[in-house]
């Protein structure tokens, strides 16, 4: 293949991969609109509505390690194709779920869609590295990351227009209980958008099947096991840090519409509140870009500590104040979450060498924390009010500070223990 032909092939592949990252961000961020929509549609409690997050992030816990096994057995390209088909199936299942007006069916469809996303996450990232020269890998990663963050900002706007705006049209203000006709109308609104999402995934599958992608030769790390990786203390606490981080990252967008529309906080309309979810993801995107420069001057421990302290300050303001001040403080907390994943990953995998791949699988399973923590926050909101639910973020930030300050010491102890075991 000539150099020019190879460049055209790589451009086509990169375009398809970028769209997939866009889709990851879009469908994930759309959940932040589905939560209040489902709450209204099925008259759910706050905890009940957060089961959207539970099944979505629970899919990562269930699917991460099997997804790694699928890519090892069938290859990364086939892994992508399988993941895209699973995503399409999940999107299409929203149609019968809406026809039956069944919350468990919606949850099942969401779980299947998330399983597909999990497999895609495992299979797609290596291709971003391989579709071009290694000297420009960082540029490609930045492109796909920007696509995902951009989609996260766009999705709440589209979701608010399609779904939350529909609530105002179908349900008169002051309505306490939906009629059967209103419930059917609300449920059917979900059908076409997710049919389009499913069709988009199938279209990308066709494109991926046709285009040429480089063959990735991966190291299966046969000499290392997940059990061996788990023996390292700093990794175990790092897995918990990822669990906590996921709760921090999605707590605000998951509760933003609920929080801003609460009369005790601000009392604005849900459709108006949804735009602050977009602002939150904009703050995260800004933090990620600025983090490129910040991390040149401070280490992982300092960055994780400083950003966590700033998060505590902003969430405290968000809980103790009201109106636009409270909401903007929570919006700005997105800046604090922006660099956490990379810092946690670096601290948790320090010195693991050939076990890093196994450690990564373990940390991916901890993404389930986003679902479990927000369900717990929903239960707190049901019993004590939504402000107390948001306040739970403060001790979570405190754990991040502890981990940042302790990871190096834990890593040293793990190294000593490994060395002692090896000398026996």
């Amino acid at each position: 293949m000539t150099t020019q032909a190879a460049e055209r092939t790589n451009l086509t592949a990169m375009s398809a991969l970028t769209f997939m990252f866009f889709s990851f961000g879009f469908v994930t961020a759309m959940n932040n609109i589905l939560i209040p929509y489902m709450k209204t549609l099925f008259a759910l409690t706050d905890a009940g509505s957060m089961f959207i997050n539970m099944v979505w992030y629970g899919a990562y816990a269930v699917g991460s390690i099997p997804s790694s096994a699928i890519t090892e057995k069938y290859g990364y390209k086939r892994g992508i194709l399988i993941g895209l088909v699973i995503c399409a199936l999940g999107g299409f299942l929203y149609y019968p779920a809406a026809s039956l007006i069944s919350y468990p069916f919606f949850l099942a469809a969401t779980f299947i869609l998330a399983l597909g996303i999990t497999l895609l996450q495992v299979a797609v990232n290596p291709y971003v590295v391989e579709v071009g020269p290694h000297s420009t890998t960082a540029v490609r990663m930045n492109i796909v990351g920007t696509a995902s963050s951009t989609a996260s900002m766009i999705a709440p706007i589209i979701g608010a227009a399609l779904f939350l705006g529909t609530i105002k049209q179908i349900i008169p203000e002051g309505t306490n209980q939906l009629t059967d006709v209103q419930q059917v109308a609300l449920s059917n609104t979900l059908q076409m958008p997710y049919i389009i999402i499913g069709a988009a995934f199938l279209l990308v599958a066709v494109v991926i099947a046709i285009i040429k992608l480089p063959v990735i030769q991966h190291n299966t790390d046969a000499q290392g096991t997940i059990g061996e990786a788990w023996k390292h203390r700093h990794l175990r606490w790092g897995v918990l840090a990822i669990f906590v981080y996921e709760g921090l990252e999605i707590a605000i967008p998951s509760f933003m519409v609920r929080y801003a529309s609460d009369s005790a906080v601000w009392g604005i309309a849900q459709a108006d509140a949804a735009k602050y979810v977009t602002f939150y993801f904009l703050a995260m995107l800004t933090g990620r870009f600025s983090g490129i420069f910040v991390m040149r001057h401070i280490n992982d421990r300092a960055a994780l500590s400083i950003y966590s302290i700033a998060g505590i300050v902003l969430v405290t303001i968000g809980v103790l104040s009201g109106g636009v001040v409270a909401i903007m403080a929570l919006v700005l907390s997105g800046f604090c979450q922006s660099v956490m994943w990379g810092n946690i990953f670096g601290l948790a995998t320090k010195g693991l060498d050939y076990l890093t791949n196994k450690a990564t699988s373990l940390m991916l399973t901890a993404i389930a924390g986003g679902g479990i923590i927000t369900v717990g926050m929903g239960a707190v909101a049901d019993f004590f009010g939504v402000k107390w639910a948001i306040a739970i973020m403060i001790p979570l930030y405190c754990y991040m500070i502890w981990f940042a300050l302790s990871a190096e010491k834990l890593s040293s102890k793990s190294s000593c223990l490994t060395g002692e075991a090896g000398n026996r």
Side-chain angles (χ1 to χ4, degrees), residues 24-34 151-153 155-156 277 281:
F24 299 163
F26 188 90
V27 296
T28 301
M30 189 66 80
N31 291 337
N32 300 310
I33 303 302
L34 279 181
S152 296
M153 292 186 293
V277 178
F281 286 115

Side-chain angles (χ1 to χ4, degrees), residues 213-299:
L213 291 175
V215 177
I216 298 177
Q217 299 294 335
H218 54 271
N219 182 358
T220 58
D221 289 337
Q223 65 190 107
T225 65
I226 287 177
E228 186 179 351
W230 188 249
K231 292 178 181 178
H232 291 264
R233 292 183 64 190
H234 66 299
L235 173 62
R236 295 200 299 269
W237 291 109
V239 170
L240 179 57
I242 291 294
F243 185 93
V244 169
Y245 157 74
E246 287 297 328
L248 285 171
E249 182 186 17
I250 71 167
I252 298 303
S254 294
F255 281 92
M256 179 61 78
V257 174
R258 168 77 173 86
Y259 198 69
S261 61
D262 190 285
S263 59
V265 179
W266 196 359
I268 61 175
Q270 288 189 338
D272 295 327
K275 66 183 179 183
Y276 291 98
V277 178
T278 293
F279 294 156
Y280 173 87
F281 286 115
L282 177 60
M284 284 195 70
L285 180 61
T286 303
R288 282 171 179 158
F289 276 122
S290 64
I292 296 172
F293 303 99
V294 171
M295 294 305 297
R296 292 179 180 176
H297 303 288
I298 59 176
N299 60 32

Side-chain angles (χ1 to χ4, degrees), residues 51-402:
F51 272 84
I52 292 287
N53 281 338
M54 175 73 86
V55 299
W56 185 269
Y57 293 98
Y60 281 87
V62 173
S64 293
I65 294 175
S67 292
S68 180
I70 288 172
T71 57
E72 287 182 3
K73 182 174 182 180
Y74 298 106
Y76 285 89
K77 182 171 182 177
R78 288 182 181 176
I80 289 175
L81 293 174
I82 294 170
L84 288 168
V85 172
I86 293 173
C87 286
L89 175 62
F92 292 147
L93 285 176
Y94 269 71
Y95 194 95
S99 297
L100 296 173
I101 317 180
S102 169
Y103 188 47
F105 205 148
F106 275 119
L107 292 178
T110 301
F111 181 75
I112 292 170
L113 178 56
L115 281 178
I117 293 294
T118 303
L119 177 52
L120 288 176
Q121 290 276 22
V122 172
V124 167
N125 281 281
Y127 270 116
V128 179
V129 177
E130 296 295 332
V131 295
H134 287 280
S135 60
T136 58
T137 295
V139 174
R140 293 193 299 278
M141 291 300 292
N142 190 46
I143 290 171
V144 296
T146 300
S148 179
S149 296
T150 301
S152 296
M153 292 186 293
I154 294 173
I157 298 173
I158 295 175
L162 289 175
F163 304 140
L164 299 185
T166 303
I167 293 178
K168 294 175 64 176
Q169 296 172 7
I170 296 175
I171 306 174
E173 190 173 350
T175 301
N176 295 322
Q177 187 172 359
L178 299 183
T179 65
D180 291 342
V181 173
Q182 290 171 337
Q183 192 176 39
V184 168
L186 282 180
S187 186
N188 288 345
T189 301
L190 293 166
Q191 291 178 321
M192 189 52 64
Y194 278 88
I195 287 292
I196 294 172
I197 288 173
F201 279 116
L202 282 185
L203 178 60
V204 176
V206 172
V207 173
I208 293 295
I210 294 173
I211 66 175
K212 292 183 178 180
L213 291 175
V215 177
I216 298 177
Q217 299 294 335
H218 54 271
N219 182 358
T220 58
D221 289 337
Q223 65 190 107
T225 65
I226 287 177
E228 186 179 351
W230 188 249
K231 292 178 181 178
H232 291 264
R233 292 183 64 190
H234 66 299
L235 173 62
R236 295 200 299 269
W237 291 109
V239 170
L240 179 57
I242 291 294
F243 185 93
V244 169
Y245 157 74
E246 287 297 328
L248 285 171
E249 182 186 17
I250 71 167
I252 298 303
S254 294
F255 281 92
M256 179 61 78
V257 174
R258 168 77 173 86
Y259 198 69
S261 61
D262 190 285
S263 59
V265 179
W266 196 359
I268 61 175
Q270 288 189 338
D272 295 327
K275 66 183 179 183
Y276 291 98
V277 178
T278 293
F279 294 156
Y280 173 87
F281 286 115
L282 177 60
M284 284 195 70
L285 180 61
T286 303
R288 282 171 179 158
F289 276 122
S290 64
I292 296 172
F293 303 99
V294 171
M295 294 305 297
R296 292 179 180 176
H297 303 288
I298 59 176
N299 60 32
D300 290 347
R301 295 171 65 239
L304 188 55
S305 299
I306 292 169
Y307 279 69
S308 296
I309 291 170
I312 290 173
V313 173
L314 289 168
V315 169
T316 301
I317 293 172
V319 170
L320 296 181
S321 60
V324 68
V325 173
I327 299 306
M328 288 309 300
L330 297 183
V331 164
L332 291 174
S333 72
F335 189 93
C336 303
Q337 277 77 266
S338 62
V339 300
M340 286 186 175
W341 175 277
N343 290 326
I344 295 169
F345 188 90
L347 292 168
T349 59
K350 183 179 180 181
L352 293 186
D353 297 326
Y354 67 90
L355 292 170
T356 300
N357 185 45
K358 306 302 181 184
T360 301
S361 295
L362 286 168
M363 285 191 283
L364 284 173
T365 64
I367 291 177
I372 295 171
I373 289 173
T374 51
V375 169
M377 292 173 69
V380 171
D382 289 329
F383 286 98
F384 303 105
V386 69
K387 284 203 170 192
W388 282 104
I390 297 296
I392 289 176
M393 295 178 67
I394 295 173
L396 299 182
Y397 281 122
C398 290
Y399 175 78
M400 287 298 185
I401 297 171
W402 176 85

